[in-house]
């Protein structure tokens, strides 16, 4: 299997990259090995693959290996493991205090390394969502491969066209049906794309979106139609009501992101962190009530019409 994201990483990444650390749990070992083989085929690179089981901890294993590398010439590629997995370990393992402490170390460490390496690449691999969706693991794997084998150079060009068309616009309107519509003003909001590569940034694959955030979008109003949870009612960037009982804990939470997908091969029906990249989807990021930081979940909408300063964009 050829992951064209590997070619894209090498082309868009630092020219002085000579070494790679590929890093993740045993659930992602096959993926890491496959990516490592592709990198080897494209150049004379030094590669270190580090995997760990559920009861080991990546922070410890990583520290044993990092001294072998010149960080400024290393691309660090890791498979994201969601916080839910650590919560499961804490509930089921007698050494929960140790696991909790090591998880805190991992959060601290992962925030520190962003400016130490030539480039950080995060991969949202479907195996980490085992049991959380009504899709088979085979379908999730298929969706992942499809999104990662798209033409990233063409998608980058498409992203720039959309980005330049939206940059500087003052008002955004999104229509879902006759009765559902959101709008917000872009003044003082960060506007960027997950395809931009800058010093110290962390790139996510599969990628493919432009977005406003990550910050409170306090001018957003209206009704957002989500794929999974029905309608979300928003006043001045605050969730005032929801259709789904599962979303009650997000009432009075904030809207911290609005994103537009641009990946033609991302399946809008798949797991959220992939579906949000689909060219057929837009999404909002929402926090819980009284949450101080901007950590959020994303809600997807598949059918929409997008306008900027009253000009139809999509």
């Amino acid at each position: 299997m050829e992951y064209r994201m590997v070619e894209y990483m090498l082309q868009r990444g630092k020219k002085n990259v000579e070494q790679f650390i590929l890093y993740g749990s045993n659930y992602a070992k096959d993926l890491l090995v496959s990516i490592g083989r592709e990198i080897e085929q494209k150049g004379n690179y030094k590669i270190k693959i580090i995997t760990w089981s559920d009861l080991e901890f990546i922070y410890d294993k990583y520290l044993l290996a990092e001294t072998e590398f010149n960080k400024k010439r290393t691309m660090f590629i890791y498979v994201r493991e969601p916080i839910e997995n650590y919560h499961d370990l804490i509930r089921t393992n007698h050494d929960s205090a140790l696991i909790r402490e090591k998880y805190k170390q991992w959060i601290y460490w992962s925030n520190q390394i962003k400016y130490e390496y030539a480039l950080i690449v995060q991969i949202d691999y479907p195996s980490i969502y085992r049991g959380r969706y009504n899709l088979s693991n085979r379908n999730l794997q298929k969706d992942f491969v499809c999104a990662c084998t798209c033409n990233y150079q063409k998608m980058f060009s498409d992203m720039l066209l959309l980005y330049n068309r939206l940059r500087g616009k003052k008002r955004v309107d999104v229509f879902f049906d006759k009765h559902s519509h959101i709008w917000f003003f872009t003044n003082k909001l960060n506007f960027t794309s997950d395809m931009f590569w800058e010093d110290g940034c962390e790139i996510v694959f599969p990628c493919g979106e432009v977005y406003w955030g990550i910050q409170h979008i306090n001018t957003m109003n209206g009704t957002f139609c989500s794929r999974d949870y029905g309608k979300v009612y928003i006043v001045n960037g605050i969730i005032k009501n929801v259709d789904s009982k599962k979303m009650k804990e997000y009432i009075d939470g904030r809207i911290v992101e609005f994103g537009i997908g641009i990946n033609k091969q991302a399946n809008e029906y798949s797991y959220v962190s992939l579906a949000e990249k689909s060219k057929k989807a837009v999404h909002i990021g929402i926090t819980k009530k009284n949450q101080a930081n901007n950590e959020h979940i994303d809600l997807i909408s598949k059918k929409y019409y997008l306008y900027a300063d009253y000009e139809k964009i999509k």
Side-chain angles (χ1 to χ4, degrees):
M1 175 58 63
E2 180 182 355
Y3 293 100
R4 294 177 73 174
M5 67 178 181
V6 172
E7 180 181 357
Y8 182 68
M9 280 188 274
L10 295 175
Q11 290 176 348
R12 299 289 300 173
K14 307 293 184 183
K15 293 181 179 179
N16 65 343
V17 167
E18 299 173 352
Q19 302 152 149
F20 290 79
I21 293 178
L22 284 76
Y23 197 47
S25 77
N26 286 337
Y27 290 104
K29 185 174 182 178
D30 289 346
L31 171 69
L32 295 175
V33 170
S34 178
I35 292 175
R37 286 173 180 163
E38 282 198 39
I39 293 171
E40 287 178 335
Q41 292 171 4
K42 298 181 183 298
N44 185 25
Y45 299 107
K46 184 177 180 181
I47 298 171
K48 181 75 173 181
I49 297 177
I50 306 171
T51 59
W52 51 283
S53 70
D54 275 351
L55 295 181
E56 292 175 327
F57 206 80
I58 48 181
Y59 178 79
D60 296 340
K61 265 198 153 181
Y62 166 77
L63 289 178
L64 297 175
E66 69 165 338
T67 53
E68 302 175 20
F69 293 86
N70 177 343
K71 293 182 182 179
K72 294 301 182 183
R73 294 186 176 274
T74 300
M75 187 181 296
F76 186 89
I77 304 172
Y78 75 101
V79 176
R80 185 172 72 99
E81 195 73 15
I83 192 170
E84 289 90 340
N85 287 6
Y86 295 100
H87 288 168
D88 290 342
L89 287 180
I90 289 170
R91 285 195 298 268
T92 59
N93 191 277
H94 70 279
D95 213 359
S96 60
L98 177 61
I99 293 174
R100 187 179 287 108
E101 179 57 33
K102 288 191 173 184
Y103 184 72
K104 289 180 181 178
Q105 292 176 349
W106 155 246
I107 293 296
Y108 173 79
W109 167 78
S110 63
N111 287 330
Q112 297 302 308
I113 66 173
K114 291 185 180 181
Y115 294 94
E116 295 181 0
Y117 286 89
L119 195 68
I120 304 293
V121 178
Q122 172 187 303
I123 299 176
D124 277 331
Y125 193 46
S127 67
I128 67 176
Y129 297 97
R130 53 194 181 276
R132 294 172 59 192
Y133 294 88
N134 293 322
L135 294 171
S136 71
N137 190 56
R138 180 177 297 179
N139 285 338
L140 294 178
Q141 300 278 357
K142 181 179 178 182
D143 292 344
F144 173 83
V145 170
C146 187
C148 290
T149 54
C150 66
N151 187 332
Y152 274 89
Q153 294 299 326
K154 175 64 166 60
M155 186 165 68
F156 186 80
S157 298
D158 292 343
M159 179 276 293
L160 284 179
L161 289 174
L162 179 61
Y163 177 83
N164 289 327
R165 196 174 177 190
L166 290 171
R167 186 173 56 180
K169 299 294 186 182
K170 296 180 180 179
R171 173 174 170 140
V172 174
D173 290 81
V174 188
F175 295 87
F176 305 102
D177 57 37
K178 290 182 180 179
H179 309 290
S180 302
H181 157 224
I182 61 170
W183 69 95
F184 63 93
F185 296 98
T186 63
N187 185 36
K188 297 182 180 179
L189 293 178
N190 298 321
F191 180 53
T192 188
S193 169
D194 65 353
M195 297 193 76
F196 287 137
W197 297 61
E198 301 171 355
D199 288 344
C201 74
E202 183 177 34
I203 306 304
V204 180
F205 281 97
C207 62
E209 66 171 299
V210 296
Y211 62 92
W212 285 270
I214 304 291
Q215 65 194 104
H216 185 199
I217 304 179
N218 59 11
T219 61
M220 183 177 288
N221 288 274
T223 304
F224 182 86
C225 288
S226 74
R227 180 192 73 175
D228 302 310
Y229 301 107
K231 294 183 178 180
V232 177
Y233 304 91
I234 304 164
V235 177
N236 295 331
I238 302 295
I239 299 171
K240 291 300 183 182
N241 207 351
V242 292
D243 280 351
S244 172
K245 292 181 180 179
K246 295 180 179 179
M247 299 301 293
K248 292 294 183 183
E249 62 184 321
Y250 289 91
I251 291 177
D252 290 331
R254 295 172 296 126
I255 308 298
V256 296
E257 179 189 12
F258 176 78
I260 306 163
I262 54 175
N263 190 324
K264 292 181 179 179
Q265 293 184 202
N267 182 354
E268 70 274 21
Y269 294 96
S270 192
Y271 58 100
V272 171
S273 63
L274 187 147
E276 70 177 6
K277 315 295 184 184
S278 170
K279 194 169 185 179
K280 298 179 181 179
V282 293
H283 65 277
I284 57 174
I286 66 174
T287 71
K288 294 181 180 179
K289 180 181 178 181
N290 297 327
Q291 187 168 310
N293 59 34
N294 291 322
E295 184 178 332
H296 63 277
I297 67 167
D298 293 311
L299 302 182
I300 310 293
S301 184
K302 308 189 307 298
K303 297 179 180 180
Y304 69 95
Y305 297 95
L306 176 70
Y307 290 78
D309 287 352
Y310 307 101
E311 172 192 358
K312 187 175 181 180
I313 304 296
K314 292 180 72 175

